[in-house]
């Protein structure tokens, strides 16, 4: 594959740490120190499908591709107002595409899982152009009275268009099942036969366990994909990491012995946007003219599951 277009759209409402401290027992100082987050964007007047549609349109424009030229739409999404139809189908309708469209859920790792699927479709010859969208509203699954979780997240959508090419040097996706560390159990409709499971509710997270799993898997995955691609870490222009938490990113950066310039961040402004964070940061780098043809990028993500993934990809947006 080759990435030929990027786009993103965030909710208009930006919430500061100070604003959060007005309704939960927290402080700007605590949140900055422990997470690096200063502000986050949260859904208020707009819907997630509107953000996803706008991100998709931007990515198509950037790629110079018409919706009718798409062969698949894959959307990474954990929760949305609609369970069915899929977010990918909904966005497909909004942009005027009739290609196959489906959602996948690999939590915060979803974007890289979608890249892995897209690569398989492109390699098999079943597709030429694929739209990958990440659309997430984690602020809709947290308890806004729980200071341990509600301060961490932000909403948004981001998208990329990929086409056939040789830019993806290596990719690794993995999953290790553990339901106890990070989960969200939604309530389902009662039936005459079931006693309704009362054990549902907002997002539950063991922060310290997530921290440990995240750094372990990210370091392991990045080392693996660099070796597979025969790339030295010093030759990587940017490590585009899942923006969960600045401390996680700093830990990985120092263990990798990499420079600040190699680790761009935006978690300070947008919080943890789940699977959106990598394509969102990529779009920012692209729009700000920070990417040059031939740049080597490493993506690395980790999330509930416990899922993780990484890849090495060359930035090669214009035709080879
Ligand atoms: N404001 C003030 N105090 C707080 C807050 C807050 N927002 N949140 C927790 N505290 C308190 C706790 O109640 C606790 O108080 P106590 O000692 O009186 O009980 C104290 O701070 C320490 O709590 P810890 O959970 O031990 O704090 P820690 O240093 O581990 O930081 C954090 C918590 C930031 C969640 C950290 O564990 C972390 O970064 N974990 C990674 C989690 C993550 O990134 N999750 C993202 C979602 S998953 C993903 O994207 C893969």
């Amino acid at each position: 594959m080759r990435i030929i277009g990027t786009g993103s759209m965030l909710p208009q409402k930006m919430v500061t740490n100070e604003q959060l401290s007005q309704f939960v027992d927290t402080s700007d100082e605590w949140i900055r120190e422990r997470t690096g987050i200063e502000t986050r964007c949260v859904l208020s007047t707009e819907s997630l499908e509107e953000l996803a549609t706008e991100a998709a349109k931007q990515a198509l424009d950037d790629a110079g591709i018409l919706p009718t030229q798409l062969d698949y739409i894959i959307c990474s999404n954990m929760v949305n107002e609609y369970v069915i139809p899929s977010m990918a189908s909904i966005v497909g309708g909004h942009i005027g595409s009739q290609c196959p469209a489906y959602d996948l859920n690999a939590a915060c790792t979803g974007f890289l899982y979608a890249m892995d699927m897209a690569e398989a479709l492109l390699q098999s010859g079943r597709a030429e152009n694929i739209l990958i969208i990440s659309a997430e509203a984690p602020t809709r699954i947290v308890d806004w009275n729980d200071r341990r979780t509600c301060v961490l997240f932000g909403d948004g959508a981001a998208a990329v268009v990929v086409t056939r090419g040789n830019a993806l040097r290596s990719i690794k996706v993995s999953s290790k099942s553990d339901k106890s560390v990070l989960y969200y159990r939604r309530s389902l409709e009662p039936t005459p036969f079931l006693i309704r499971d009362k054990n549902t509710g907002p997002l539950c997270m063991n922060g310290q366990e997530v921290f440990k799993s995240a750094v372990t898997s990210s370091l392991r995955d990045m080392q693996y994909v660099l070796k597979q691609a025969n790339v030295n870490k010093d030759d990587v222009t940017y490590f585009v990491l899942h923006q969960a938490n600045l401390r996680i990113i700093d830990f990985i950066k120092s263990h990798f012995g990499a420079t600040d310039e190699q680790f761009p961040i935006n978690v300070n402004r947008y919080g943890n946007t789940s699977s959106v964070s990598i394509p969102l940061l990529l779009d920012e780098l692209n729009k700000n003219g920070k990417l040059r043809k031939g740049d080597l990028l490493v993506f690395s993500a980790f999330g509930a599951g416990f899922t993780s993934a990484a890849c090495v990809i060359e930035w090669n947006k214009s035709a080879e």
Side-chain angles (χ1 to χ4, degrees):
M1 71 161 61
R2 187 159 68 85
I3 296 174
I4 55 169
T6 69
S8 65
M9 193 67 194
L10 292 162
Q12 280 180 359
K13 185 155 193 62
M14 189 168 253
V15 178
T16 63
N17 294 341
E18 198 57 49
Q19 285 171 300
L20 293 182
S21 71
Q22 284 160 23
F23 60 89
V24 279
D25 181 15
T26 189
S27 65
D28 179 47
E29 195 192 356
W30 194 97
I31 302 171
R32 272 178 205 253
E33 231 170 61
R34 308 278 180 129
T35 72
I37 299 167
E38 295 161 26
T39 54
R40 72 284 292 142
C41 297
V42 303
L43 287 174
S44 58
T45 54
E46 59 284 268
S47 68
L48 191 58
E49 73 184 65
E50 285 166 355
L51 301 183
T53 303
E54 179 53 32
K57 284 181 178 167
Q58 282 181 22
L60 288 164
D61 274 358
D62 191 35
I65 291 277
L66 294 170
T68 48
Q69 291 174 272
L70 290 172
D71 300 306
Y72 280 90
I73 302 174
I74 308 173
C75 181
S76 158
N77 173 248
M78 290 186 299
V79 279
N80 180 29
E81 291 144 346
Y82 286 90
V83 174
I84 48 170
S86 69
M87 179 65 96
S89 288
I90 293 172
V91 174
H94 289 318
I95 63 175
S97 152
Q98 291 185 341
C99 69
Y102 64 95
D103 287 0
L104 68 78
N105 173 5
C108 301
T109 317
F111 176 71
L112 294 188
Y113 268 65
M115 280 185 65
D116 189 53
M117 289 303 306
E119 173 70 358
L121 290 165
L122 292 167
Q123 271 195 17
S124 71
R126 295 184 65 177
E128 192 146 339
N129 300 308
I130 301 176
L131 173 65
I132 301 175
I133 308 167
S134 291
E136 304 283 13
T139 69
R140 298 298 310 275
I141 62 173
V142 293
D143 175 356
W144 281 86
N145 297 308
D146 177 8
R147 65 181 183 175
R148 292 167 304 154
T149 52
C150 76
V151 304
L152 302 175
F153 296 98
D155 305 324
V160 301
V161 177
V162 294
T163 193
R164 285 196 198 144
N166 294 319
L168 188 67
R169 302 281 192 84
S170 60
I171 185 161
K172 171 186 164 67
V173 294
S174 60
S175 172
K176 184 176 158 216
S177 183
D178 184 344
K179 288 195 297 188
S180 65
V181 173
L182 180 58
Y183 63 91
Y184 168 66
R185 294 183 66 180
R186 68 177 152 225
S187 56
L188 300 171
E189 301 303 321
T191 79
F193 313 106
L194 262 183
I195 297 164
R196 196 167 182 170
D197 188 349
K198 292 198 169 53
N199 200 10
T200 59
L203 186 89
C204 280
M205 181 183 75
N206 178 333
Q208 288 175 7
E209 286 305 314
V210 172
F211 196 110
K212 278 188 241 160
S213 292
V215 294
T216 310
S217 63
S218 185
L219 286 167
R220 179 201 64 208
D221 292 350
M222 292 201 297
Q223 266 147 8
Y224 180 88
V225 292
L226 284 171
K227 192 163 179 231
Q228 285 291 109
N230 202 17
V231 167
N232 188 299
K233 71 172 170 44
D234 299 332
D235 297 326
V236 174
T237 312
Y238 295 119
F239 291 87
V240 182
L241 259 62
H242 168 42
Q243 303 285 297
N245 181 311
L246 192 60
R247 277 167 61 217
I248 293 179
I249 298 170
D250 282 347
F251 189 93
I252 292 168
K253 182 171 59 185
S254 65
H255 268 70
F256 239 69
T259 63
D260 287 353
E261 292 68 36
Q262 284 177 295
F263 276 76
I265 58 143
N266 61 13
V267 65
N268 54 330
R269 282 173 283 142
Y270 306 133
N272 180 348
T273 55
S274 185
S275 72
V276 176
S277 79
I278 289 178
L280 178 63
L281 186 52
L282 184 71
D283 183 49
E284 222 169 62
L285 293 167
N286 183 23
K287 282 181 177 148
N288 293 339
K290 295 272 173 64
L291 298 169
R292 301 269 169 271
K293 190 175 163 72
D295 279 352
L296 286 173
L297 310 175
V298 170
F299 300 161
S300 171
F302 36 84
F306 194 86
T307 55
S308 79
C311 73
V312 178
I313 189 163
E314 188 180 323
W315 184 253
N316 198 354
K317 197 162 155 279
S318 51
E320 285 152 305

